[in-house]
Amino acid sequence: SFCTLLDRAPMGYMDPGQGLTDKKVVLLDEPNEQEAEEDSDSDSGLTVFVPEWGNGLRNWARQLVYGNVWFERFWLGVIMLNCITLSMEDPTDKDCVTQICKFTSYSDYVFVWLFVVEFVIKVLGLTFYERHDAYIRDKWNILDCVIVWSGLLSFFLSVVLKMQGPALTGLRAFRLLRPLKAVQAFPGIRVLVQSILASLPQLLDVFILYFFFLLIMGIIAIQQWKGLLRWHCATNESIADVAAGVPNATYDVGDRICTTGFHPNVGGHICEFGTTCVEHGGNPMNGKLSFDNMGVTALTLFIALTLEGWRDSMYETMEATTYFASFFWIVLIIFGSFFILNLTIVIITESFALKQQEQTVAVFKAIDR
């Protein structure tokens, strides 16, 4: 796979003594003449103001970031360990009296400073902003920067200033972004995420189409079944008791929905002898299946488009009206689930294939260099 050739080194970077088979190719944009001149100026400027040992430190950091595979693997292991410690936290132990809570608290401080060390090494090797391949020019590194500085601020407020409260809780929420740092270590995942982001403009058109489709189908559903799913068969004795005003009298109804009109030979649940269809009780499925307003109707139709329980919903509406209600659900599933929702998969797949093609072309160009 071409993904094995990817790394975050500059285009064409090669360690001394390495052959072509050991060459690591990255997919950063090739610098143009202006960028190359800026890189040269930035390097020369650093050479003037940084002592000789500083240039050596910078070269060492640059070789770590660009030429050492184990550097990336080490930080990937750190991220995995951090994910494990985050999953061990107990939200019920607010006073942090257990050993597990103390361990996760102390380990969080260790991970904060480990990520600071990674940040410093990368800034030394890449520069912060000066070069065209500088640290902050990579969007994924911006995420890293946010994670590092939020962790440092949380450490300063909690350990140095001994602060507690909602502000500190909000800062700690940024720890949930740490697993996303692992995306940088997997070029294939980066391509997939970039494909999804690149397909958002086209997906917006699909979402608009999906919205109007739900709106039209929702209006039809409200016109057909508004309030009809509340009708159930009640015994005539209980109906008479309620009409006579007997204390604590209520309708003795079953679970099945009944039809308010008589539809011979076209479906609908007709109440048996000795019972009458009355409006009593709530909507089916504890009120989740309802067509009484547009909001709950849209939610009901959206759940049906996920193919979760749509047949039960269809049978309920058929009992409330006629067998012809099934045509509504068939149209909803065919055009909504099998057509419109699958358009999103098609768009993302095409965008992913395009990104893969671009990455493959970039790899071969780098090898040719």
Side-chain angles (χ1 to χ4, degrees), residues 67-257:
N68 197 325
V69 177
W70 289 102
F71 178 82
E72 195 71 40
R73 293 176 181 175
F74 172 78
W75 292 113
L76 181 61
V78 171
I79 294 169
M80 294 298 103
L81 288 176
N82 192 197
C83 292
I84 294 175
T85 57
L86 287 176
S87 64
M88 293 171 59
E89 292 186 357
D90 185 5
T92 60
D93 189 9
K94 297 182 179 180
D95 297 329
C96 198
V97 295
T98 63
Q99 294 297 325
I100 293 179
C101 180
K102 294 178 181 178
F103 170 75
T104 55
S105 298
Y106 293 139
S107 63
D108 184 65
Y109 300 145
V110 173
F111 286 119
V112 167
W113 287 106
L114 282 175
F115 292 139
V116 170
V117 171
E118 180 193 18
F119 170 77
V120 172
I121 293 176
K122 288 184 177 180
V123 170
L124 281 175
L126 302 172
T127 73
F128 187 74
Y129 184 78
E130 289 81 3
R131 297 175 58 89
H132 83 282
D133 57 345
Y135 176 85
I136 205 64
R137 293 180 184 266
D138 188 344
K139 296 182 178 61
W140 291 102
N141 286 336
I142 295 176
L143 175 64
D144 278 356
C145 193
V146 172
I147 294 173
V148 169
W149 286 102
S150 62
L152 278 176
L153 184 58
S154 175
F155 176 83
F156 179 77
L157 294 178
S158 60
V159 177
V160 180
L161 299 183
K162 306 295 183 181
M163 290 181 57
Q164 297 292 333
L168 186 60
T169 303
L171 281 175
R172 286 177 175 174
F174 281 96
R175 296 180 301 171
L176 302 178
L177 298 176
R178 290 178 185 174
L180 293 179
K181 289 169 62 68
V183 175
Q184 297 190 51
F186 299 98
I189 299 180
R190 295 187 66 176
V191 174
L192 182 58
V193 174
Q194 291 171 358
S195 302
I196 295 175
L197 295 177
S199 62
L200 287 180
Q202 292 177 307
L203 288 178
L204 179 61
D205 297 332
V206 177
F207 292 153
I208 293 175
L209 175 62
Y210 180 69
F211 170 77
F212 281 109
F213 177 77
L214 272 184
L215 181 64
I216 294 172
M217 300 301 289
I219 293 173
I220 295 174
I222 291 175
Q223 296 298 320
Q224 294 297 318
W225 302 307
K226 183 177 182 180
L228 296 183
L229 303 184
R230 299 174 180 269
W231 292 73
H232 299 81
C233 294
T235 60
N236 292 337
E237 292 81 2
S238 64
I239 294 175
D241 292 341
V242 172
V246 176
N248 299 324
T250 183
Y251 293 118
D252 184 11
V253 299
D255 296 331
R256 291 189 63 180
I257 297 174

Side-chain angles (χ1 to χ4, degrees), residues 336-357:
S337 183
F338 296 157
F339 181 70
I340 296 181
L341 287 184
N342 283 332
L343 279 178
T344 60
I345 301 177
V346 172
I347 292 174
I348 295 176
T349 302
E350 289 184 350
S351 178
F352 180 70
L354 182 60
K355 285 291 182 181
Q356 275 192 322
Q357 184 178 4

